[in-house]
Amino acid sequence: MATVLLAGGAGYIGSHTAVELLNAGYEVVIADNFANSSPESVRRVEQITGKKVTLYELDIKDRAGLSEVFHAHQIDAVIHFAGLKAVGESVEKPIMYYRNNIDTTLSLLEVMQEADVKKIIFSSSATVYGETNPVPYTETMPRGVCTNPYGWTKAMMEQIFEDAARADQALSVILLRYFNPIGAHASGRIGEDPQGIPNNLMPYVTQVAVGKRACLTIYGNDYPTPDGTCTRDYIHVVDLAKGHVKAIQYILQNHCMEIINLGTGQPYSVTEIVDTFEKVNGVKINHVYGARRAGDLPACYANADKALEILGWKTELSLEDMCRDAWNWQKQNPNGYQNA
Ligand code: NAD
Ligand code: UD1
């Protein structure tokens, strides 16, 4: 079976993808510098699957170290998850974001070229659609104007991959544009482990539920949406991980340069998330309505047709599943992987 290198594979999406790849019979090698994760997630991936992962503590920007990984293993394909992803932090520390996110990408492409590895899947984001494209977003729309350095790194990296694939006819690339991944593995052993105060909605909700935060502020209820709060395309992280397995199967069998949305196509509002979480889990989420958050769009959701057409993939899990599994993870791990 093929060997897949997960750059940044100890993180939230990478660890869930590792489980699904191992379950599908792939060999998994992970390289991560634990900038936003811990080796404990990989240990738990091994527990869940009963299979071994080869783990390297490595900064992907370190070309010499990365080269050694490619010499030690016959890598068939790479998934590039390694990146910094906090929007607010990227506004405060843009140079750090450009350095880390762009450099990891260049380093991977250079070392892959040396090692003659020709298949890479990249974690892009719906954020590259910008502010002016109409929803639902389809892959043929132009990349838009991003509102923060994090978003720009994704748009720039997409451009880099497109140019690299144009120049090297043998290179295959799939740019996966994720919508809003939430939830956790059904075991509750792996999940999202944000450092400090969560920026994203679901980890904030679960921390209110577990008593770590007093109250959720809903950012704005005067948007032109059915209930006035923003709508997003929330996708269960296990569905997302299975999308990566399909993308790996596809890229191993086809020469390609594809951009593919990974979303459900179904928008839900912030209020619907809070209500569903309360109903499914029988807990109360204290919340207040506050001002809009700068940079938020009223609505963001995918046209998910292309993923079905090309990869034969669509989501299977519901919003109820997302809320139940997010809570199951948080309850079992009130401090994430800390003290594990
Ligand atoms: P995460 O922070 O949990 O995982 C990213 C991993 O990359 C972490 O384990 C981190 O330690 C590692 N990393 C960062 N820089 C590195 C470097 N220089 N060398 C080695 N490892 C490095 O984030 P995630 O939610 O799992 O996201 C994975 C990818 O998907 C990221 O590129 C992110 O931008 C992208 N993405 C995430 C979302 C989301 O909502 N979670 C949405 C769209 C796109
Ligand atoms: C955010 C980023 C996006 C990034 C994505 C994944 C912004 C503007 N966008 O998307 O670039 O790709 O995360 O990391 O930061 N909300 C609240 N209260 C909260 C937190 C969130 O009401 O405490 C609302 C937001 O206004 C939004 C929704 O919940 O309407 C989802 O927010 P979030 O989880 O941060 O994701 P996005 O803003 O969609």
Side-chain angles (χ1 to χ4, degrees):
M1 199 44 132
T3 300
V4 184
L5 171 66
L6 308 187
Y12 173 46
I13 301 170
S15 56
H16 287 82
T17 301
V19 167
E20 298 307 324
L21 284 170
L22 290 163
N23 284 342
Y26 292 94
E27 295 286 330
V28 170
V29 176
I30 291 179
D32 200 302
N33 67 353
F34 308 122
N36 193 38
S37 57
S38 101
E40 177 63 16
S41 66
V42 180
R43 205 177 63 78
R44 295 191 185 186
V45 165
E46 293 184 327
Q47 281 175 352
I48 291 168
T49 59
K51 300 198 173 148
K52 291 297 292 175
V53 171
T54 310
L55 175 61
Y56 291 92
E57 180 167 2
L58 177 75
D59 190 322
I60 303 295
K61 299 197 292 300
D62 170 5
R63 278 188 50 191
L66 189 59
S67 196
E68 282 175 31
V69 174
F70 279 81
H71 280 114
H73 303 270
Q74 176 71 51
I75 306 289
D76 295 291
V78 175
I79 310 182
H80 179 18
F81 297 105
L84 300 174
K85 62 160 185 176
V87 170
E89 187 184 51
S90 81
V91 175
E92 286 156 30
K93 299 177 182 166
I95 297 165
M96 183 171 98
Y97 269 67
Y98 286 111
R99 168 63 73 199
N100 190 73
N101 291 2
I102 309 281
D103 223 359
T104 50
T105 300
L106 295 176
S107 178
L108 272 170
L109 283 169
E110 284 169 349
V111 173
M112 284 173 64
Q113 200 167 35
E114 278 164 24
D116 204 29
V117 174
K118 296 292 182 189
K119 314 244 172 215
I120 183 159
I121 294 171
F122 173 61
S123 299
S124 191
S125 166
T127 197
V128 302
Y129 286 108
E131 292 188 291
T132 50
N133 282 309
V135 285
Y137 297 137
T138 53
E139 295 85 345
T140 48
M141 290 174 175
R143 281 190 285 271
V145 172
C146 297
T147 52
N148 56 75
Y150 163 78
W152 280 120
T153 69
K154 291 293 177 197
M156 289 176 188
M157 290 186 284
E158 285 202 355
Q159 186 68 48
I160 290 169
F161 279 114
E162 287 176 346
D163 290 342
R166 214 169 283 125
D168 179 355
Q169 293 291 317
L171 182 67
S172 283
V173 174
I174 300 181
L175 307 176
L176 294 177
R177 291 181 178 162
Y178 310 155
F179 282 70
N180 288 55
I182 59 171
H185 190 263
S187 65
R189 299 290 293 151
I190 55 173
E192 189 170 11
D193 182 19
Q195 309 301 306
I197 302 170
N199 301 305
N200 297 115
L201 178 63
M202 185 53 92
Y204 206 103
V205 166
T206 60
Q207 290 196 8
V208 171
V210 85
K212 283 180 83 172
R213 313 267 160 216
C215 183
L216 169 76
T217 301
I218 295 180
Y219 298 138
N221 60 349
D222 57 351
Y223 284 99
T225 58
D227 65 21
T229 66
C230 295
T231 63
R232 295 289 181 270
D233 187 336
Y234 297 95
I235 172 172
H236 196 298
V237 67
V238 171
D239 272 333
L240 187 73
K242 288 180 176 168
H244 288 72
V245 177
K246 293 286 193 184
I248 281 290
Q249 287 166 350
Y250 185 82
I251 206 169
L252 289 174
Q253 283 164 15
N254 296 277
H255 175 63
C256 58
M257 168 64 236
E258 297 286 354
I259 299 177
I260 302 178
N261 288 338
L262 293 184
T264 66
Q266 166 70 55
Y268 287 106
S269 73
V270 182
T271 308
E272 283 175 302
I273 297 290
V274 172
D275 290 349
T276 307
F277 191 95
E278 289 184 331
K279 189 170 91 228
V280 170
N281 296 317
V283 292
K284 198 89 200 89
I285 305 299
N286 288 329
H287 61 273
V288 292
Y289 292 98
R292 292 180 177 195
R293 180 173 68 177
D296 274 347
L297 296 173
C300 171
Y301 56 98
N303 175 318
D305 293 350
K306 187 171 174 187
L308 182 59
E309 189 190 311
I310 303 257
L311 304 179
W313 171 91
K314 63 178 170 55
T315 58
E316 290 166 351
L317 298 166
S318 66
L319 184 59
E320 283 75 12
D321 296 322
M322 300 181 215
C323 292
R324 187 199 58 230
D325 292 337
W327 180 224
N328 186 35
W329 152 255
Q330 178 77 74
K331 250 188 328 192
Q332 288 190 43
N333 307 272
N335 298 312
Y337 294 113
Q338 221 186 334
N339 310 323

